[in-house]
Amino acid sequence: MTTVLPVRRPGAASALSPAEDKRSTAGARAARARQIAGRTAPWLVRGVMGAAVLVFALLAVGPHVLGYRTMTMLTASMAPEIEPGDITVATPIDLTDVTEGMVITYHMPVDDGSLVTHRVVSVEHAPDGSVLVQTKGDANAEIDPWTARLQGDTAYEVRAVVPELGHLVTALRTPVLNQVLLYGAPVLLAGWLLMTIWRPARATTPAVDTDDETKEDQA
């Protein structure tokens, strides 16, 4: 049995597979990254602006237009229903509608009279039309050591809780972020408007008349 082996010509070199052009690959990746960034940036700016508008509407416009009140919870006395840093939204109700079990926001009748949000545990209607309430924080072991007199025509019952938003509001009140918002918000708005106005038009591929090409081939 005879085996035939291929013989390489003298001086012949082995064929090598073409090397990958790393520069072209890197350029393609960079172009792809720029394309993604170009598509993402407008939506990012819109998201930031939209969130800022919603927060502004909730905290600044809504209380004046719809009459509700917002307050940032500073303590854990109402945990886990209301955690520190959450924002409560309280709406006005008739004073005579205050009942046990409600979570209300009112001024403490002690110290500096600051606002507190606690649950009503007892209600008493006084002859002068005012309402006397005792309250307690859900996480507290004891009832609050005072009896609050609710006067006027309305009280404020907590209707909704916005988690964690109070941390953002507190951060926005710092001097550094105030300066950033003062100068950064107009820049973001201007950039968004410019991107909207100067957005490049998409290139369109001209239509091909297939009938003409068929006629030319047949001719």
Side-chain angles (χ1 to χ4, degrees):
M1 181 176 180
T2 305
T3 303
V4 179
L5 299 177
V7 179
R8 186 176 300 170
R9 297 193 307 271
S14 300
L16 299 177
S17 57
E20 183 181 0
D21 191 348
K22 296 182 179 180
R23 291 177 299 177
S24 61
T25 302
R29 291 179 180 175
R32 181 61 177 172
R34 288 194 298 268
Q35 184 180 12
I36 294 175
R39 293 178 179 178
T40 306
W43 290 105
L44 181 61
V45 174
R46 291 170 188 171
V48 172
M49 295 301 298
V53 170
L54 287 177
V55 172
F56 178 77
L58 173 66
L59 301 179
V61 179
H64 296 285
V65 176
L66 302 178
Y68 62 80
R69 290 182 178 179
T70 60
M71 188 182 74
T72 301
M73 196 69 178
L74 301 179
T75 69
S77 62
M78 285 296 294
E81 183 174 344
I82 309 174
E83 297 285 354
D86 295 349
I87 283 186
T88 60
V89 180
T91 59
I93 60 173
D94 192 275
L95 196 62
T96 58
D97 292 336
V98 175
T99 58
E100 295 180 8
M102 284 184 174
V103 178
I104 63 173
T105 297
Y106 66 97
H107 289 277
M108 291 189 299
V110 296
D111 299 331
D112 59 351
S114 58
L115 287 172
V116 62
T117 298
H118 278 176
R119 193 177 301 275
V120 177
V121 295
S122 69
V123 181
E124 180 183 348
H125 295 271
D128 61 356
S130 62
V131 176
L132 303 176
V133 297
Q134 283 188 304
T135 58
K136 174 183 176 296
D138 290 352
N140 294 343
E142 303 293 337
I143 296 175
D144 296 329
W146 61 75
T147 298
R149 181 182 298 272
L150 306 180
Q151 298 179 339
D153 298 325
T154 60
Y156 282 86
E157 181 185 5
V158 174
R159 299 286 190 175
V161 178
V162 184
E164 304 296 336
L165 186 58
H167 294 302
L168 175 61
V169 174
T170 302
L172 293 177
R173 290 175 179 172
T174 60
V176 175
L177 285 181
N178 276 334
Q179 293 297 320
V180 171
L181 289 177
L182 180 62
Y183 298 104
V187 172
L188 285 176
L189 180 59
W192 175 65
L193 292 175
L194 289 175
M195 284 187 294
T196 303
I197 296 173
W198 291 344
R199 181 180 300 171
R202 295 182 179 178
T204 56
T205 304
V208 178
D209 191 348
T210 56
D211 293 340
D212 292 344
E213 289 183 354
T214 304
K215 293 177 181 178
E216 291 176 1
D217 292 341
Q218 292 177 353

